[in-house]
Amino acid sequence: MDATSEPIVIPAGVIFDMDGTIADTWQHHFEAYRELGRRFGQELSEEAFQRLFGTASSSVVTLLAGDDLTEEQIAGLAAEKEVLYRRLVEDDLRLTKGVRRLIACLRGHGCRLAIASSAPRDNVAQVLRLAGIQDDFDVILGEEDVSVTKPDPEIFLKSLQKLGLGADECWVIEDSLHGIRAAKAAGIFCVALTTTHNIDELGEADLVVDRPADLLERLDVAPG
């Protein structure tokens, strides 16, 4: 991060992804999928999972269990995986560095906040409950709230509608390539975190920082 950069004006709204953005859950998801894959004789590699991180669970389940399953079977296996994942998170929640302070700062400056996650709403609710930030968000959307997941922009467009704001009034904070592409397709300024990808992979974002704490340092928080 360039310490000489001009302070950045806080927007009217910020839309957060959750996995890799609010909570560092990559390892929890990977371990849950790996356990599921072993039932089908598949050993999920970190490299393969990295490419899929940020997409709907049905995509990873299909990779592990095969594409000859019915939609009901895929949904059932995806639900089993999420139960495994939530058990891991319940005992070991890891928030990204500075995210609580960033959220408090944004709220304190009148910024409206949303979560737009490809994860099930139960996963989102668990993280918010454990972190004690469930009351800080005006809008919360999960995979059940859209018909098409990221990189389609539907979830971000719906977030804008529910926030009552235009694309030019908001930021998206993301970590995945799918999420960045969805934000840009929605016409929204995108801040990318390097929590799950190297900076060289995040060139489609408008701004790249390592962690929420680094973004907080860049904000113009001078009293008006």
Side-chain angles (χ1 to χ4, degrees):
M1 185 179 67
D2 182 0
T4 65
S5 298
E6 290 293 321
I8 303 171
V9 176
I10 294 174
V14 173
I15 305 169
F16 286 80
D17 175 49
M18 189 189 71
D19 291 306
T21 302
I22 290 177
D24 185 0
T25 55
W26 192 96
Q27 193 66 34
H28 302 96
H29 281 292
F30 175 65
E31 290 177 9
Y33 277 123
R34 184 168 57 179
E35 182 172 335
L36 182 67
R38 285 171 177 166
R39 299 185 196 175
F40 296 91
Q42 299 286 344
E43 189 65 31
L44 179 65
S45 69
E46 292 188 358
E47 292 76 16
F49 180 58
Q50 183 77 1
R51 292 192 295 271
L52 291 164
F53 191 64
T55 62
S57 55
S58 57
S59 300
V60 189
V61 168
T62 300
L63 173 70
L64 296 173
D67 55 10
D68 57 345
L69 299 177
T70 66
E71 289 186 9
E72 290 76 14
Q73 289 173 317
I74 292 172
L77 289 170
E80 288 182 41
K81 174 265 166 182
E82 299 304 347
V83 170
L84 294 171
Y85 158 82
R86 286 193 289 272
R87 287 176 185 164
L88 294 170
V89 171
E90 192 70 27
D91 296 329
D92 184 30
L93 176 65
R94 308 170 191 175
L95 296 180
T96 53
K97 183 180 178 181
V99 73
R100 277 200 184 99
R101 290 187 290 117
L102 175 61
I103 290 169
C105 175
L106 294 172
R107 292 292 289 182
H109 285 76
C111 186
R112 291 176 60 77
L113 302 182
I115 290 179
S117 174
S118 296
R121 283 196 299 263
D122 284 349
N123 290 13
V124 177
Q126 179 192 36
V127 167
L128 298 183
R129 171 180 58 81
L130 291 173
I133 55 175
Q134 62 267 42
D135 296 327
D136 289 329
F137 292 89
D138 303 287
V139 174
I140 299 173
L141 298 179
E143 69 172 357
E144 299 93 337
D145 298 300
V146 293
S147 58
V148 189
T149 57
K150 304 169 188 176
D152 189 276
E154 180 185 357
I155 197 165
F156 291 133
L157 294 173
K158 187 169 287 189
S159 297
L160 291 175
Q161 182 182 32
K162 289 184 174 294
L163 287 171
L165 297 171
D168 60 346
E169 299 177 281
C170 280
W171 294 350
V172 164
I173 302 180
E174 265 284 357
D175 69 297
S176 74
L177 303 183
H178 291 294
I180 293 167
R181 288 165 186 160
K184 298 311 297 175
I188 308 173
F189 184 92
C190 185
V191 180
L193 307 180
T194 62
T195 49
T196 56
H197 289 83
N198 296 324
I199 189 170
D200 294 341
E201 301 175 89
L202 302 173
E204 294 176 54
D206 297 288
L207 174 67
V208 179
V209 296
D210 287 334
R211 297 294 185 271
D214 301 308
L215 177 59
L216 182 59
E217 291 181 7
R218 296 283 298 271
L219 298 181
D220 182 358
V221 294

